[in-house]
């Protein structure tokens, strides 16, 4: 079992080894569900970012206790930052279903960070992390959906990308 990936000696007498048989990579249903969840989260981020740029959403709606200036210039810059993060999530979601350990790991790390920042912002007050709170909570769509939905999406993504056994096995092959 430890040497399952070691080359095997051929039986035809040539002495050349043959590599282990590997089939093509197939994304697991959990990975496809994670991709849909990331795309949904990015869509919420895009809507929030556009609303911030348009001025339809204030910074106070993103997280409880966020203490930042309310000028339209600062708000639109936060909207642009949220849009950039949402586009990054879309790109990583598209790359995560191909056999890329790096993309999946980067997406998992971003989601762990987002989950931690969201929990810190909610339970410690929004000004705990300042501008990071606004970017994370805005990308998660906290101005559009309740806190429980935001935490559910982020926690589900952490499980599906980093912990789920079938996804982990699919990437270890």
């Amino acid at each position: 079992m430890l040497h399952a990936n070691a080359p095997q000696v051929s039986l035809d007498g040539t002495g050349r080894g043959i590599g282990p048989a590997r089939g093509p990579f197939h994304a697991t249903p959990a990975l496809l569900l994670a991709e849909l969840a990331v795309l949904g989260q990015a869509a919420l981020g895009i809507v929030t970012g556009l609303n911030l740029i348009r001025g339809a959403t204030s910074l106070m709606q993103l997280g409880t206790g966020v203490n930042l200036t309310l000028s339209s210039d600062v708000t639109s810059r936060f909207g642009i930052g949220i849009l950039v993060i949402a586009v990054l999530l879309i790109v990583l979601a598209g790359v995560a279903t191909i056999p890329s350990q790096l993309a999946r790991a980067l997406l998992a790390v971003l989601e762990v960070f987002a989950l931690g920042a969201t929990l810190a912002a909610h339970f410690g007050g929004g000004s705990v992390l300042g501008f990071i709170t606004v970017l994370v909570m805005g990308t998660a769509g906290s101005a559009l959906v309740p806190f429980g939905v935001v935490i559910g999406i982020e926690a589900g993504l952490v499980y599906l990308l980093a912990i789920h056994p079938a996804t982990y096995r699919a990437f270890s092959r």
Side-chain angles (χ1 to χ4, degrees):
M1 180 165 228
L2 292 174
H3 303 288
N5 290 332
Q8 301 171 355
V9 178
S10 67
L11 299 176
D12 63 357
T14 61
R16 285 187 257 165
I18 55 173
R22 292 186 182 196
F25 178 80
H26 296 289
T28 62
L31 189 58
L32 294 174
L33 181 63
E35 182 180 23
L36 283 175
V38 169
L39 291 175
Q41 185 181 37
L44 290 172
I46 287 172
V47 170
T48 302
L50 291 175
N51 282 341
L52 279 173
I53 292 170
R54 286 180 343 140
T57 303
S58 70
L59 291 177
M60 300 302 286
Q61 289 178 310
L62 293 181
T64 55
V66 176
N67 296 324
L68 297 169
T69 52
L70 300 176
S71 72
S72 61
D73 185 46
V74 171
T75 303
S76 66
R77 288 177 194 229
F78 277 116
I80 292 169
I82 290 169
L83 286 175
V84 168
I85 294 172
V87 168
L88 175 68
L89 286 176
I90 290 171
V91 168
L92 286 175
V95 176
T97 55
I98 62 174
S100 172
Q101 283 280 38
L102 180 64
R104 185 181 67 90
L106 183 59
L107 194 55
V109 167
L110 284 174
E111 289 301 330
V112 167
F113 175 75
L115 179 63
T118 302
L119 289 172
H122 185 73
F123 292 113
S127 61
V128 170
L129 301 171
F131 71 94
I132 294 173
T133 302
V134 174
L135 293 176
V136 169
M137 299 287 282
T139 304
S142 66
L144 304 172
V145 295
F147 172 73
V149 174
V150 170
I151 292 298
I153 290 172
E154 290 173 349
L157 282 169
V158 168
Y159 174 75
L160 291 173
L161 292 170
I163 301 170
H164 190 260
T167 304
Y168 187 80
R169 277 192 305 272
F171 276 95
S172 66
R173 282 189 235 148

